[in-house]
Amino acid sequence: MPVTVQLPKEKWTGTVREVTLGAAAAEGGTRKKIVTVGGESTLPFLTFEGEIPNRPMVALEVQDRYPDDWSDLLKDVWGDTMQDAAAWAQKAEEYGADLIVLKLQSAHPEGDNTDAAQAAETTKAVLAATGLPLIVYGPGQAEKDNEVLVASAEAAEGERIALGNCEDKNYRTIVAAAMAHGHLVVAKTPIDVNLAKQLNILISDMRLDLDRILMDPTTGSLGYGLEYTYSVMERLRIAALTGDSMTQQPMICTVGEEAWRAKESKVNEGVPEAWGDWDQRSINWEVLTATTLIEAGADIVVLRHPESVKLVTKAISDLMAA
Amino acid sequence: MLIIGENIHIISPTVKTAVKDRDAKTIQKMARLQVEHGADMLDLNIGPQKRRGVEVMDWIVDAVQEVTDVPLSLDTTNVAAIETGLKKVKRQAMINSTSADPDRLNTGMPLAAEYNAKIIALTMGKSGIPTSAEGRVEMAMEVLIPKAMELGIPMADLYLDPLVLTVNGTQEHGPETLNAVRFFKQLTDPPPMTVVGLSNVSNSVPHENRSLINRTYLVMLLAAGLDSAIADPLDEKLHEFIRIVEERDTSTGLGNLLVTFYDKTAAMEELEPSDVDMSDPEQVGVWKTAQILYNKVIYAHAYLRM
């Protein structure tokens, strides 16, 4: 006798906010491509019980100084392009990135300690070199981040870029800069659902619209805490879908930075032979971290290797089509 | 509902200094104050005190018994110190605590039998605290209760403690701990007793939110069958919540809500918006806190404002 199986469907009550990066000429910007993320009313790729209006996006990271500390594999693949942020960004666009992440690493006080004027100039040069939307990070040192991100925000007036990172103790200046110049912010918290929600509340208390906030839950790469990030993201996404308004932000994961820090991808000396081919292993490390977090609800993954972009983009297309 | 006063705790700088200086007056003042505010028993937490445990316990039990005759809970992992305290106490004392870790179980539990003391048994093993209610119950059923029975400790003296953890970071434990209390009371006939370290539920929460979280959780725990709590007797609002549910005082809107909350929790149901007068800020506070404790809404320091 034939048996009818009723497909179990969850009735979600909440929706992730849609967040748009980049502004075209009509909106006062110069972007050729506009990227919208979020909007999900279901768990990743479960379109039989909700909508996924926007696919996850892939960003490539560029820096404004030659990244001496990066893996030789990355140096080989990018070559001299990495000497110039604008040329690097242009190349990243050619490699199929949806977004450019610019890290103003040269501003680090213990490095070149470049100033606000330099940050503004680099931001303009990168915006001129690519038509993609931009996310800008400071060097990761609170005072200096404030200085260069304010300059970047001003230089990118009208372009609807995202400024990162806003953290618990250091978000006011960056949020104010985003409000003054019509940009977005990235709110970063250390693998903690409670703090993630609290920071969204604090930022929205400053009256920045919630459709201008991306959440960064802090990425642990494959083998180095990936499962913690995974479960925190899953928890935040379920909260968003069950109607918790202060968790309904799209999520961004800095996959490349973490995956290329792992010994398995960074070096090939003194590692067991059983680990196999270095090139393949490193790219797998980045791709697996990215695709795993996309399964946990990542809306933007930031990568470093062009081959990873190709593979992750393919995985996303397949998952969206399935 | 037995309240075990928690304020004489070595983590408090006042207590730490008083213990170090053997300043009996300060300890005695704290003891009296807690008893005046309704503590039925006093917890004496002297920390691990690896070297001076015996000496400190000997001193502090005398100091406290000089000013009050409520029973004492001897709170240290130093077994020799506990035995010293047990020899001195005038009334049946409580050992705080043992666990399912064989090292602690085999030293702590026999002392309770030998000195006819009550004992707190944590549902925690060498590998930590189980996440689920079932894991905690299994530990109670397979390790703690059989050991107590083997030693002839009556169930009325065995206080199972499911270990309350903070909503800020370990929120998923909230409903599990609650259900563990519920299941503990069904394990034997007569049932074992139950206890929690109540204030742990609001650890690392801003001070202004702590009491509300503590007392809201206590209403739920009482409904699940909790017999006693290590808590702050100076928290008047905590007493008020206990009084309302114990007397079933529905003369106010808040009272009505708390009694409903209690009854629903006892029936394994949850509060609904229609139970709450949303124009009354106190009721809304309880409602929002319940959502946090049910693990339905993610805790954030600003949760009451949302």
Side-chain angles (χ1 to χ4, degrees):
Chain A
M1 206 177 75
V3 180
T4 328
V5 178
Q6 185 94 34
L7 192 63
K9 288 184 188 177
E10 192 74 44
K11 282 199 184 75
W12 298 109
T13 54
T15 307
V16 178
R17 285 191 181 81
E18 280 197 328
V19 169
T20 298
L21 293 106
E27 293 90 42
T30 61
R31 298 304 84 203
K32 303 273 189 304
K33 180 175 175 171
I34 307 301
V35 165
T36 299
V37 290
E40 301 94 331
S41 57
T42 181
L43 289 171
F45 311 110
L46 300 190
T47 43
F48 61 87
E49 58 180 34
E51 304 291 321
I52 303 191
N54 306 295
R55 67 168 172 89
M57 297 288 166
V58 178
L60 267 170
E61 176 183 348
V62 309
Q63 299 202 352
D64 67 341
R65 70 180 282 278
Y66 187 82
D68 301 301
D69 56 334
W70 280 24
S71 170
D72 286 341
L73 288 182
L74 290 167
K75 289 179 186 160
D76 290 346
V77 71
W78 289 102
D80 280 346
T81 316
M82 295 202 299
Q83 300 287 356
D84 175 58
W88 190 352
Q90 199 168 33
K91 197 80 185 162
E93 183 172 354
E94 283 169 29
Y95 280 137
D98 299 305
L99 297 144
I100 299 296
V101 162
L102 168 63
K103 184 155 192 209
L104 297 169
Q105 189 62 32
S106 74
H108 201 287
E110 283 161 29
D112 300 338
N113 201 21
T114 55
D115 61 5
Q118 180 64 52
E121 198 178 304
T122 310
T123 306
K124 280 183 182 159
V126 170
L127 284 167
T130 166
L132 301 180
L134 188 63
I135 301 171
V136 183
Y137 288 103
Q141 201 258 357
E143 250 173 70
K144 205 63 201 212
D145 277 9
N146 288 347
E147 182 190 333
V148 295
L149 289 172
V150 167
S152 266
E154 221 176 284
E157 180 84 39
E159 297 282 8
R160 205 177 167 97
I161 66 170
L163 306 168
N165 284 314
C166 290
E167 298 189 55
D168 186 19
K169 289 184 179 63
N170 176 46
Y171 64 92
R172 292 172 186 278
T173 306
I174 298 165
V175 171
M179 287 172 76
H181 302 285
H183 299 310
L184 282 57
V185 298
V186 180
K188 182 172 181 169
T189 44
I191 319 194
D192 184 310
V193 290
N194 309 116
L195 293 178
K197 180 174 173 180
Q198 177 73 6
L199 184 55
N200 290 337
I201 297 172
L202 294 174
I203 291 174
S204 75
D205 278 353
M206 286 185 70
R207 311 242 174 257
L208 182 70
D209 293 338
L210 284 161
D211 65 357
R212 288 179 179 268
I213 304 174
L214 296 167
M215 280 194 286
D216 179 347
T218 296
T219 305
S221 89
L222 179 63
Y224 297 86
L226 176 66
E227 60 277 31
Y228 294 102
T229 304
Y230 188 99
S231 52
V232 160
M233 290 174 65
E234 187 182 41
R235 182 88 201 287
L236 286 166
R237 181 53 48 91
I238 289 170
L241 296 177
T242 48
D244 187 341
S245 149
M246 284 298 157
T247 62
Q248 292 171 334
Q249 308 312 124
M251 293 184 278
I252 178 170
C253 294
T254 54
V255 169
E257 183 180 343
E258 298 305 324
W260 286 96
R261 190 181 283 170
K263 187 180 182 188
E264 287 83 350
S265 44
K266 192 159 188 179
V267 295
N268 199 33
E269 275 165 41
V271 309
E273 206 171 315
W275 285 10
D277 179 70
W278 183 24
D279 215 343
Q280 198 185 345
R281 178 178 75 234
S282 327
I283 290 164
N284 282 346
W285 220 263
E286 184 168 43
V287 170
L288 280 171
T289 303
T291 48
T292 304
L293 295 180
I294 285 169
E295 295 284 2
D299 296 280
I300 300 174
V301 288
V302 186
L303 305 177
R304 283 186 173 174
H305 199 291
E307 186 63 22
S308 306
V309 174
K310 207 190 288 172
L311 291 167
V312 172
T313 305
K314 168 81 165 60
I316 292 169
S317 308
D318 291 352
L319 284 163
M320 289 300 286
Chain B
M1 171 65 195
L2 180 90
I3 292 192
I4 306 166
E6 70 184 0
N7 298 354
I8 301 178
H9 196 296
I10 201 76
I11 284 181
S12 143
T14 317
V15 173
K16 194 175 179 185
T17 311
V19 168
K20 189 166 149 273
D21 299 344
R22 301 289 188 272
D23 167 12
K25 283 214 163 59
T26 298
I27 299 292
Q28 287 168 337
K29 198 174 145 197
M30 292 179 85
R32 267 200 307 258
L33 198 62
Q34 291 185 81
V35 173
E36 280 163 21
H37 283 82
D40 303 298
M41 188 184 266
L42 291 176
D43 191 64
L44 305 180
N45 179 298
I46 60 168
Q49 296 286 358
K50 290 214 174 77
R51 282 191 305 124
R52 299 187 182 277
V54 169
E55 198 186 307
V56 170
M57 188 62 87
D58 188 64
W59 167 78
I60 202 166
V61 169
D62 275 344
V64 172
Q65 290 194 141
E66 259 175 43
V67 294
T68 171
D69 58 2
V70 300
L72 304 177
S73 154
L74 311 173
D75 187 354
T76 172
T77 48
N78 182 327
V79 179
I82 289 195
E83 187 158 16
T84 303
L86 290 172
K87 285 178 180 156
K88 301 214 98 167
V89 291
K90 294 178 188 158
R91 298 180 61 185
Q92 186 187 25
M94 183 176 260
I95 297 174
N96 184 6
S97 58
T98 186
S99 75
D101 172 356
D103 294 344
R104 291 183 68 188
L105 188 67
N106 295 327
T107 51
M109 205 75 102
L111 277 182
E114 188 182 343
Y115 290 90
N116 182 35
K118 296 172 189 276
I119 185 163
I120 296 176
L122 313 173
T123 52
M124 177 174 102
K126 258 200 160 63
S127 57
I129 304 167
T131 316
S132 67
E134 287 76 16
R136 288 162 157 106
V137 171
E138 201 178 290
M139 219 172 249
M141 203 165 60
E142 289 175 5
V143 184
L144 300 170
I145 292 177
K147 186 74 181 178
M149 285 180 162
E150 174 197 323
L151 292 164
I153 297 170
M155 285 302 110
D157 286 342
L158 179 69
Y159 283 72
L160 294 175
D161 181 343
L163 286 141
V164 167
L165 300 174
T166 175
V167 291
N168 183 23
T170 42
Q171 209 180 333
E172 67 280 10
H173 282 266
E176 300 296 331
T177 312
L178 181 74
N179 280 328
V181 169
R182 198 189 298 276
F183 299 146
F184 288 163
K185 294 304 285 183
Q186 298 161 7
L187 285 178
T188 57
D189 185 20
M193 303 302 276
T194 50
V195 66
V196 294
L198 182 65
S199 311
N200 289 339
V201 74
S202 60
N203 263 340
S204 74
V205 165
H207 186 260
E208 64 273 18
N209 286 354
R210 292 200 64 174
S211 169
L212 177 62
I213 295 174
N214 294 350
R215 62 186 189 261
T216 304
Y217 200 38
L218 186 60
V219 170
M220 297 166 74
L221 287 160
L222 287 172
L226 187 76
D227 299 296
S228 57
I230 306 172
D232 178 9
L234 307 190
D235 181 349
E236 292 299 340
K237 288 185 169 167
L238 184 73
H239 286 296
E240 179 58 8
F241 272 38
I242 298 171
R243 187 197 64 78
I244 286 172
V245 295
E246 284 186 348
E247 294 175 7
R248 300 188 64 84
D249 176 1
T250 55
S251 64
T252 62
L254 178 67
N256 210 24
L257 174 69
L258 292 180
V259 171
T260 304
F261 188 27
Y262 178 94
D263 289 347
K264 285 203 156 181
T265 311
M268 299 188 79
E269 292 167 15
E270 290 181 354
L271 271 187
E272 283 159 44
S274 58
D275 298 322
V276 188
D277 175 356
M278 294 294 178
S279 67
D280 175 0
E282 251 188 321
Q283 292 191 49
V284 173
V286 170
W287 160 254
K288 287 182 176 171
T289 305
Q291 301 309 303
I292 297 294
L293 293 165
Y294 292 149
N295 193 25
K296 285 215 161 157
V297 172
I298 291 179
Y299 172 82
H301 291 335
Y303 81 94
L304 282 177
R305 288 202 280 119
M306 301 317 298

